[in-house]
Amino acid sequence: QVQLVESGGDLVQAGGSLSLSCAASGSSFSISDLGWYRQAPGKQRELVAAISRGGRTNYADSVKGRFIIFRDNAKNTVYLQMNNLKPEDTAVYYCNVNTFAVDYWGQGTQVTEMP
């Protein structure tokens, strides 16, 4: 069983930056695929960014060039650096860890961009 603890959500000014982190328990972090998802009110959860066990990344078109996902296997932590935040980035952000084809989810952290 993998437990995930997210942090970093906050209110942020338009155009501002925010960094999210997700710390995972367990010993399989380095061989897991990781991702950040988000869910805005009334919308489905969507993939924001992902990083494979080998370090390959992919991003939703809406965040390319603004968000960066990276991982620190020594700390069992995955990060999401968010820059130039826009109103449409307001959502609950969830960390996802896929280990041996099993998905684990964090509790979510709220990111709100102030108008």
Side-chain angles (χ1 to χ4, degrees):
Q1 187 76 8
V2 175
Q3 293 185 329
L4 306 176
V5 178
E6 298 153 345
S7 60
D10 205 347
L11 298 173
V12 63
Q13 294 273 352
S17 297
L18 206 58
S19 182
L20 306 182
S21 62
C22 173
S25 65
S27 59
S28 302
F29 186 84
S30 64
I31 59 171
S32 300
D33 296 321
L34 313 172
W36 285 96
Y37 290 71
R38 67 186 180 189
Q39 188 167 18
K43 295 188 176 181
Q44 289 189 329
R45 191 174 297 190
E46 62 175 358
L47 175 66
V48 176
I51 183 166
S52 72
R53 68 192 72 182
R56 184 173 58 190
T57 59
N58 67 282
Y59 297 90
D61 288 342
S62 59
V63 306
K64 281 181 181 176
R66 299 189 298 122
F67 290 13
I68 302 171
I69 185 171
F70 56 102
R71 62 193 295 166
D72 185 339
N73 290 337
K75 295 183 179 180
N76 273 21
T77 302
V78 58
Y79 303 90
L80 184 68
Q81 176 64 40
M82 304 185 292
N83 302 315
N84 190 21
L85 283 160
K86 301 178 179 181
E88 53 264 38
D89 295 321
T90 294
V92 178
Y93 284 71
Y94 297 90
C95 171
N96 172 266
V97 173
N98 185 280
T99 303
F100 302 125
V102 177
D103 280 317
Y104 299 93
W105 295 91
Q107 80 284 358
T109 186
Q110 177 71 48
V111 173
T112 303
E113 196 256 14
M114 295 185 289

